[in-house]
């Protein structure tokens, strides 16, 4: 069994779900509401990429507002929970994070995935409703969302 296959097997145990990497050394997890997370092994087989496509953002002022807020959130992040980026290929907002395979195990990956999912849901809901997530500093009342983000 390869280190990546071992990682996915450990994650499978943590999540209590049967998981296996496909022939491309990737594992796709579907979490409902069209939220999917892809776990890929890098070409060098030394890193794991966790990623999710959050939704399309069309050209215009809304896209600019979303991308500005995404940059702010990326800059304020103290703990890894993913980096927000724009995918030109799909005109969409994506969330991703790399981890060295050598330091990752199923438990650490599952703990990270829970934060990643919470972060993804906030952004995905905002994109679907045409809103921009707010940071605590942007509003007088503090939000109850993850990292102060509220839809």
């Amino acid at each position: 069994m390869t280190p990546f296959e071992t990682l996915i097997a450990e994650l499978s145990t943590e999540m209590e779900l049967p998981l296996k990497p496909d022939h491309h050394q990737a594992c796709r997890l579907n979490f409902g509401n069209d939220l999917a997370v892809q776990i890929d092994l890098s070409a060098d087989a030394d890193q794991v990429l966790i990623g999710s496509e959050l939704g399309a953002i069309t050209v215009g002022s809304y896209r600019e507002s979303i991308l500005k807020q995404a940059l702010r959130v990326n800059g304020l992040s103290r703990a890894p929970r993913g980096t927000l980026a724009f995918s030109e290929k799909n005109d969409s907002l994506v969330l991703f994070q790399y981890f060295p395979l050598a330091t990752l195990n199923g438990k650490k990956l599952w703990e990270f995935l829970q934060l990643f999912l919470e972060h993804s849901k906030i952004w995905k809901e905002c994109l679907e409703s045409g809103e921009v997530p707010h940071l605590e500093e942007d509003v007088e009342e503090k939000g109850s969302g993850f990292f102060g983000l509220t839809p």
Side-chain angles (χ1 to χ4, degrees):
M1 193 178 284
T2 69
F4 184 71
E5 290 170 335
T6 301
L7 175 66
I8 297 301
E10 291 173 359
L11 179 62
S12 177
T13 300
E14 290 294 323
M15 294 181 68
E16 299 178 354
L17 291 172
L19 301 174
K20 283 186 184 178
D22 63 19
H23 64 282
H24 296 291
Q25 294 299 290
C27 183
R28 184 176 173 92
L29 306 171
N30 294 310
F31 292 97
N33 294 334
D34 298 321
L35 183 58
V37 175
Q38 181 97 4
I39 304 170
D40 289 318
L41 183 62
S42 69
D44 296 337
D46 63 343
Q47 293 191 57
V48 173
L49 170 63
I50 295 104
S52 182
E53 187 173 328
L54 304 177
I57 44 177
T58 56
V59 176
S61 61
Y62 178 66
R63 178 189 280 183
E64 290 177 23
S65 297
I66 283 289
L67 294 178
K68 283 179 187 175
Q69 193 70 324
L71 287 171
R72 291 176 70 204
V73 169
N74 288 345
L76 293 173
S77 179
R78 294 182 186 168
R81 63 165 190 269
T83 300
L84 293 158
F86 179 70
S87 168
E88 288 183 26
K89 179 181 176 183
N90 300 324
D91 283 334
S92 65
L93 189 68
V94 295
L95 183 65
F96 71 94
Q97 182 72 44
Y98 281 98
F99 285 106
L101 180 59
T103 63
L104 201 55
N105 62 39
K107 182 177 173 134
K108 288 179 184 176
L109 181 54
W110 177 230
E111 289 171 357
F112 171 77
L113 281 173
Q114 292 174 71
L115 295 173
F116 187 89
L117 285 169
E118 189 173 346
H119 196 51
S120 296
K121 287 177 187 176
I122 290 169
W123 284 87
K124 188 163 183 57
E125 288 171 6
C126 285
L127 291 175
E128 289 170 354
S129 65
E131 296 177 19
V132 176
H134 298 286
L135 296 171
E136 283 183 10
E137 64 189 39
D138 292 338
V139 292
E140 289 183 36
E141 295 182 46
K142 294 189 178 203
S144 59
F146 181 70
F147 197 64
L149 289 171
T150 56

